[in-house]
Amino acid sequence: MTVQGIRGVGYCARMTRAGDWAFDYALDLAMHHDVRLEVFFFPSPPCQPHEARGRRGELGELPEEKRIQMEKDVRLYYDQLLGEFVNVGFRLCEGDEEPELRRCLLVRREYDVLVLPYEGYRCQFGSGSIEELAESMSCPTVLVGPERADQFFVNTAAGHWIDRLDLTGRDWHHLADVDVHAGFVE
């Protein structure tokens, strides 16, 4: 049986503490496998519990100057963290998180491992919670945080890639083991 290698890493940008932890892991993973890092930025509000968050406005509703400034801010923020690494792409995503990430995975084939900052249990991401989105992704998906930089939660697909994801010997858990209401691993 042929085992697929990592051909690209996708990272959803969040300029938060958990976002920085996830970025560091995504960058290390891309460098370790010598693949491209795709940085996707969705201008959504900070983590809110899935039950409390309403539908956000579309990015297309923002003036062009605001979109340009947002993209510039994201690039400047991450450029300083990239060091010498240049195999990176940036995309300011104008649609909803979930369909856009699936389109980039399945149609554009821009990544085959997805790294998300885990800013809190049951945070809204796309049409559901971040845990639901991660588990529904067909590619290995790793959530970093929410309490520490060395805390990792993986979806079912990632559970088969622990070695390739450089998680052997680290504090990682299956998302299925997370009690999202109590905020701890069972």
Side-chain angles (χ1 to χ4, degrees), residues 48-51 97-98 101-102 114 116 118 120-139 141 143 153-157 174-176 178 180-181:
Q48 296 178 3
H50 172 60
E51 297 82 9
E97 292 98 337
E98 189 173 346
L101 288 173
R102 291 185 194 288
L114 181 61
L116 301 170
Y118 201 5
Y121 301 102
R122 297 280 305 157
C123 283
Q124 178 81 23
F125 199 97
S127 61
S129 72
I130 193 165
E131 295 90 356
E132 292 166 341
L133 171 89
E135 193 56 45
S136 74
M137 292 298 288
S138 60
C139 69
T141 303
L143 279 65
F153 293 89
V154 300
N155 69 350
T156 301
H174 287 282
L175 276 169
V178 175
V180 295
H181 300 291

Side-chain angles (χ1 to χ4, degrees), residues 11-29 37 39 41 73-74 76-82 115-119 143-146 148-152 170:
Y11 162 70
C12 288
R14 296 292 292 179
M15 290 179 257
T16 63
R17 185 171 64 165
D20 289 349
W21 297 338
F23 177 79
D24 289 344
Y25 171 72
L27 177 60
D28 287 347
L29 194 60
L37 174 62
V39 178
F41 178 68
D73 291 345
V74 169
L76 288 173
Y77 185 85
Y78 288 104
D79 274 347
Q80 67 183 350
L81 300 176
L82 285 166
V115 178
L116 301 170
Y118 201 5
E119 296 175 294
L143 279 65
V144 183
R148 307 182 310 277
D150 63 346
Q151 186 179 34
F152 305 91
R170 295 189 186 200

Side-chain angles (χ1 to χ4, degrees), residues 58-74:
E58 292 294 320
L59 181 59
E61 297 171 8
L62 295 174
E64 180 68 18
E65 311 81 57
K66 179 73 171 167
R67 283 187 278 182
I68 290 169
Q69 186 61 48
M70 290 173 94
E71 185 170 359
K72 180 180 176 185
D73 291 345
V74 169

